[in-house]
Amino acid sequence: RKMSKRQTSLAPVDAKPILSRLYLLLQDQNIGKDFESLTPLFQTVDELIELQRNKRKQANEKLSSEERQKRFRDFTKWVKAGGVDLSSIDFAYSLQEGNGLVATKDLKKGDQFLAIPYRLMMSNESAIKTPELETILTNDSHLKAIPSLALSLHLLYEKSQLQSFWAPYIKILPSTFSIPLFFSQTELFALHPSSAYGEALRSIKNCLKQYLYLYPVVDNLKSRILNLASFTFEEFRWAISVIFTRQNMIPKINSQSSQDPMGMQMALIPVWDMCNHTSTDMHITTFFDTETHQTECQAVRDFKKGDQIYIYYGRRPNVELLIFLRLC
């Protein structure tokens, strides 16, 4: 992977006073008991976001149709250069679900329509191979225990690079999400008093707690690429949402542990992660081939040319679908 020789960075703002207030708010067990008790938390988060915003493009900036098409053309070239056969599929980005895949020819149930080589995936293994991240990912017990956090740092690091190998992939990722991490105070409390409310509030609190933990970690990196100027709460929330909504577990390829030669790791799988979920065809049709080192996907049912291609994500409770995918 190429690394830019020069990386311009913006001066970070002093967010520590607000972060200290957030820390105290997150200790309050009464937060979320009623609508009014949520107000200090949401107001403080809004204050943090406003403080950290600057003149650079924001993560939630809306793309023009022309720019979106250009990014998908660049992405197509990148995946083809990486050895992906796209003859059975095409990209769609104006679907009801957002982005997705459509069939370019008739597919029968069981037909393999996609295979993604391991080298194109962003994984916990590729994260630890990043020189500036290797030390903390190897030694920090918290990051070792929560692979989603390690992968989110990897994603943010690569996003901040001018010449990242994964840049064409990162640029076509959604800029915002409809999961509870992006809910307003009113939207969140609309779930009350269901069990989903508690889970949604917990996911928001956990996201804030993880950001508070990683803030000094990133500061101590002394990196010209991933630093406090680029590690804003908006960017972290975006990255962790990408991981929540798109990650998959695959075998480790380069594991050196004799005790765990075929351990699992978290990964982002380009192209495959654009397949949307079906709840009617309940069959897992995605597998990782440990000999060819690629993720292979078969049609869960017959698809006609022009149909959107769906896959089954697996059996999940409705609350989990709401928190991580907003599918119900």
Side-chain angles (χ1 to χ4, degrees), residues 60-105:
N60 60 357
E61 183 180 26
K62 187 175 180 61
L63 294 177
S64 67
S65 177
E66 293 77 13
E67 176 63 20
R68 183 182 293 108
Q69 291 177 26
K70 178 184 180 302
R71 292 188 179 194
F72 270 92
R73 287 196 299 269
D74 293 342
F75 178 61
T76 299
K77 293 177 183 178
W78 180 73
V79 295
K80 285 183 175 180
V84 179
D85 180 3
L86 298 177
S87 61
S88 298
I89 61 170
D90 197 5
F91 302 117
Y93 40 85
S94 299
L95 301 169
Q96 181 178 358
E97 300 93 340
N99 296 335
L101 300 181
V102 295
T104 57
K105 61 183 181 182

Side-chain angles (χ1 to χ4, degrees), residues 9-76:
S9 61
L10 298 160
V13 295
D14 184 10
K16 291 179 181 178
I18 297 179
L19 297 180
S20 296
R21 282 160 45 202
L22 265 178
Y23 175 81
L24 293 176
L25 283 170
L26 291 170
Q27 310 309 309
D28 187 348
Q29 299 299 314
N30 291 318
I31 292 288
K33 292 289 181 66
D34 52 38
F35 182 82
E36 289 72 21
S37 68
L38 291 170
T39 301
L41 182 64
F42 275 81
Q43 286 182 343
T44 306
V45 170
D46 288 343
E47 187 179 344
L48 175 63
I49 289 173
E50 286 302 316
L51 179 67
Q52 291 179 328
R53 280 182 174 163
N54 48 52
K55 293 182 180 180
R56 67 183 175 83
K57 292 182 178 180
Q58 296 299 310
N60 60 357
E61 183 180 26
K62 187 175 180 61
L63 294 177
S64 67
S65 177
E66 293 77 13
E67 176 63 20
R68 183 182 293 108
Q69 291 177 26
K70 178 184 180 302
R71 292 188 179 194
F72 270 92
R73 287 196 299 269
D74 293 342
F75 178 61
T76 299

Side-chain angles (χ1 to χ4, degrees), residues 107-302:
L107 295 172
K108 293 293 186 182
K109 180 179 179 179
D111 285 351
Q112 180 175 306
F113 64 89
L114 190 60
I116 306 298
Y118 178 69
R119 62 181 173 273
L120 294 185
M121 303 177 196
M122 297 186 71
S123 67
N124 290 127
E125 284 189 329
S126 63
I128 209 167
K129 289 180 180 179
T130 304
E132 290 193 6
L133 300 180
E134 180 181 8
T135 299
I136 61 166
L137 296 184
T138 302
N139 299 324
D140 190 295
S141 58
H142 192 66
L143 289 171
K144 289 169 68 176
I146 308 179
S148 59
L149 282 187
L151 195 54
S152 69
L153 282 183
H154 184 25
L155 176 60
L156 286 174
Y157 184 91
E158 298 300 331
K159 184 181 181 183
S160 298
Q161 280 210 71
L162 296 179
Q163 299 181 41
S164 169
F165 169 73
W166 287 283
Y169 169 59
I170 294 171
K171 288 181 178 179
I172 62 96
L173 290 171
S175 60
T176 189
F177 297 85
S178 58
I179 61 176
L181 293 185
F182 288 78
F183 279 12
S184 67
Q185 181 178 347
T186 300
E187 289 171 330
L188 174 63
F189 201 74
L191 297 174
H192 188 274
S194 70
S195 61
Y197 172 72
E199 293 297 329
L201 178 59
R202 188 174 297 110
S203 72
I204 293 170
K205 287 182 175 180
N206 284 341
C207 179
L208 289 166
K209 289 177 181 178
Q210 303 298 4
Y211 181 72
L212 291 175
Y213 177 82
L214 289 176
Y215 192 85
V217 173
V218 171
D219 191 20
N220 290 333
L221 280 177
K222 306 303 179 186
S223 169
R224 72 189 188 283
I225 297 174
L226 182 61
N227 48 50
L228 294 186
S230 57
F231 187 68
T232 66
F233 176 69
E234 275 189 300
E235 287 290 275
F236 174 70
R237 181 177 62 177
W238 169 82
I240 204 68
S241 298
V242 170
I243 308 303
F244 280 173
T245 58
R246 307 177 89 80
Q247 59 82 20
N248 195 37
M249 300 302 293
I250 63 170
K252 292 180 179 178
I253 301 301
N254 303 306
S255 175
Q256 301 298 316
S257 172
S258 59
Q259 297 179 338
D260 188 22
M262 284 303 293
M264 302 298 287
Q265 63 173 325
M266 192 170 286
L268 296 174
I269 307 175
V271 184
W272 176 85
D273 62 7
M274 290 179 64
C275 293
N276 290 310
H277 172 67
T278 177
S279 58
T280 57
D281 301 285
M282 301 171 65
H283 306 285
I284 298 294
T285 57
T286 300
F287 308 95
F288 189 87
D289 191 316
T290 55
E291 293 185 0
T292 61
H293 294 173
Q294 61 183 14
T295 291
E296 300 173 352
C297 194
Q298 302 166 357
V300 71
R301 56 178 168 82
D302 292 352

